[in-house]
Amino acid sequence: DIVVTVLNVNDNGPVFKRTSLSRAVAEDTAVNTTVVAREELSASDADLDTVFYELTAAGPDADGYFAIKGVNNPEIYLQKALNYEKFKLTTLVLYARDRPVDSTDTTHTATATINIIIDQADSRPPWFLPCTFINTEKSICISSPYSGRVNISEVSTEPLLLEPGPISAVDPDYTLNEKIVYSIVGGDADKVFSLDADTGNLTMNKAVTSLGSFLLQVMATQVNNIQKYSIVTVEIKVISKSDYAPYFESSTYHGMVSVGLAPRSFVFQAGDPSSPLMITAVDHDFPNV
C-alpha cells in the first residue's frame, strides 16, 4: 500500500465578494453603530486559511471615525461622532490577508474600497443674519441684535428699516434648508407691532404716544420641528419726528495751518490765528442743541 498525503500550499489569496461598495451615513448616527455588515465584507480563501483584516482611511480628515470589530471581523462601525462641516465623504480601504500583518511567510493580499458619503442631519437651530462664526469648523455663528426707530404719534405704512439689516434667519443645515417662520414672543404687550411669519417684515399696528424703547423678542422656528428655534432681540426706539434736515451755518469754511505742526494740532480761522476753526451745523428739530 502506498499512502500519498497532499499538503496544502498557500497558492490562493483572499477574495472579496465585492471589491467596491458605497454607503450613505447620517451625520447624527450614534457611535458604535454598524455601518457595513460583516457579511458584505468577509473575504474567502480557497486554501481555507484564516483571513486577517485591516482598515485604513484614504484622507486624514476621516481618520479615527471608522473601525472594524476585530482583526478577523471586518464589520465596520462608527467609532467617533461625525461632523458634516469637517468632511462630507471619504474612502476606506479594507485589506484582507491570509497571514498576520507581521508574518514573515508568503502572504497574499486583497483590497476592497468602501466609499462613505455623509448625509447632513437636522442638528442645528436657525441662525439670524448677519452672524459671525466663532470656530474654525463654522458650526457656531453668533448673531447681533437688530435695532430701528419709529416716530412718536405716527404709524409707518411700510416695513420698518432695521440695522444691521432686515430680520432674516436661515437653516444652517443648508442641504436640508428647512422652512423658517417668525413670531414676536415678548416685549410687545400692547400689540403695537406685527411680524410677517414668512418674510420677517416688522410693521406697526398703531401709533406710540410716548418716547422710549421697545425690546422685542423675535423667534425663528423651523416648520418641521418646533424644537429647532432661535431668539433675537429687536430694539425699537420711539423718537420725536424729524421735520427738518440739518444744515451747516456756512457754506464755506476757511482755515489756516502752519508748516511743521504736530498731529492733532488746531486748525485756526483764516485771518484770525487766535481763534480755532469751528464747523457747526443746525437742526430746527432741536433748536436748543
Side-chain angles (χ1 to χ4, degrees), residues 12-77:
N12 294 284
V15 177
F16 284 106
K17 294 178 182 178
R18 297 172 61 187
T19 58
S20 178
L21 66 156
S22 298
R23 281 293 180 275
V25 182
E27 180 186 13
D28 57 354
T29 299
V31 172
N32 294 322
T33 299
T34 295
V35 175
V36 187
R38 176 176 185 170
E39 293 73 19
E40 296 183 80
L41 295 172
S42 295
S44 60
D45 190 304
D47 297 320
L48 303 180
D49 290 326
T50 299
V51 179
F52 299 86
Y53 299 94
E54 180 185 8
L55 184 70
T56 63
D61 288 342
D63 190 37
Y65 283 87
F66 300 95
I68 56 176
K69 290 289 187 178
V71 68
N72 301 121
N73 183 355
E75 178 180 318
I76 298 176
Y77 70 98

Side-chain angles (χ1 to χ4, degrees), residues 69 115 121 172 217-218 235 274 284:
K69 290 289 187 178
N115 298 307
Q217 300 297 310
V218 172
E235 182 181 13
S274 63
H284 289 308

Side-chain angles (χ1 to χ4, degrees), residues 184-193 213-218 234:
I184 298 174
V185 295
D188 189 26
D190 295 332
K191 306 298 181 184
V192 175
F193 302 97
S213 294
F214 290 86
L215 289 177
L216 307 179
Q217 300 297 310
V218 172
V234 181

